[in-house]
Amino acid sequence: WKIVPIPQPENLPEDFAQYEFDCGSRDIFLFSSASFGVSSICEIWENKNYPWYSFYSLTSDGGKTFHTWLVNKYFPGSVEFINGHTGWQIVEDIAGGYILEHTQDSGQTWKTLQHLAWHGSLDFVNEKIGWAVASNEDIKSLLFTQDGGNIWFEIKPIVTK
């Protein structure tokens, strides 16, 4: 094992300067021996609202450098990459709801695919086919896309004996 420190993101929200915080990794996504992503969450301890922030860090040089960005505040953002370049993320919409975004340049730029009433966990197997476990308040659904996330279909599993 080799320890690979992930640098602190630039342009942190104001909460990080005012309060104590603690960060930890949630998931590691390995694309090759040199290309991987790390999903992290930071919790603010002294703020009465107890916000927590989710970040995603991506490297293509074995961890020598990282591109890190803030995904969401208040819920663990869903970021999914199928390789070191192509990925999707669900972010909070300041107008309410959520936004599904897509990148083809390792997260340097993001294109809005659609506004969502749900958030959830994404899992893509290639540039077109993916699934989401979607949540909207207490309702959960399994969704499927075959066009890269532009259109989602609800899957209603049938359980048989």
Side-chain angles (χ1 to χ4, degrees), residues 1 12 25 28 30 34-36 48 53-54 61 66 75 83 87 98-99 113-114 129 134 137 139 144 147 150 159:
W1 292 94
L12 286 172
S25 299
I28 298 175
L30 185 64
S35 180
F36 61 90
K48 292 179 182 177
Y53 297 84
S54 58
D61 58 11
F66 283 90
F75 86 96
N83 55 45
Y98 306 92
I99 300 172
L113 293 180
Q114 62 178 291
I129 298 180
E137 297 185 14
I139 301 169
F144 170 75
D147 67 357
N150 292 300
V159 179

Side-chain angles (χ1 to χ4, degrees), residues 36-111:
F36 61 90
V38 179
S39 174
S40 303
I41 289 183
C42 296
E43 293 184 75
I44 307 295
W45 294 107
E46 296 174 22
N47 187 330
K48 292 179 182 177
N49 294 323
Y50 297 104
W52 44 288
Y53 297 84
S54 58
F55 295 92
Y56 194 85
S57 303
L58 189 64
T59 183
S60 59
D61 58 11
K64 292 178 185 161
T65 61
F66 283 90
H67 170 57
T68 300
W69 63 92
L70 173 65
V71 179
N72 283 307
K73 179 180 178 180
Y74 294 114
F75 86 96
S78 181
V79 180
E80 170 71 3
F81 276 81
I82 56 170
N83 55 45
H85 304 285
T86 306
W88 297 259
Q89 68 179 359
I90 297 174
V91 298
E92 293 168 300
D93 186 345
I94 58 171
Y98 306 92
I99 300 172
L100 177 64
E101 299 179 328
H102 182 252
T103 184
Q104 293 182 310
D105 61 5
S106 304
Q108 298 294 323
T109 60
W110 293 90
K111 173 187 168 190

Side-chain angles (χ1 to χ4, degrees), residues 24-36:
S25 299
R26 289 184 50 220
D27 290 308
I28 298 175
F29 306 92
L30 185 64
F31 311 118
S32 70
S33 61
S35 180
F36 61 90

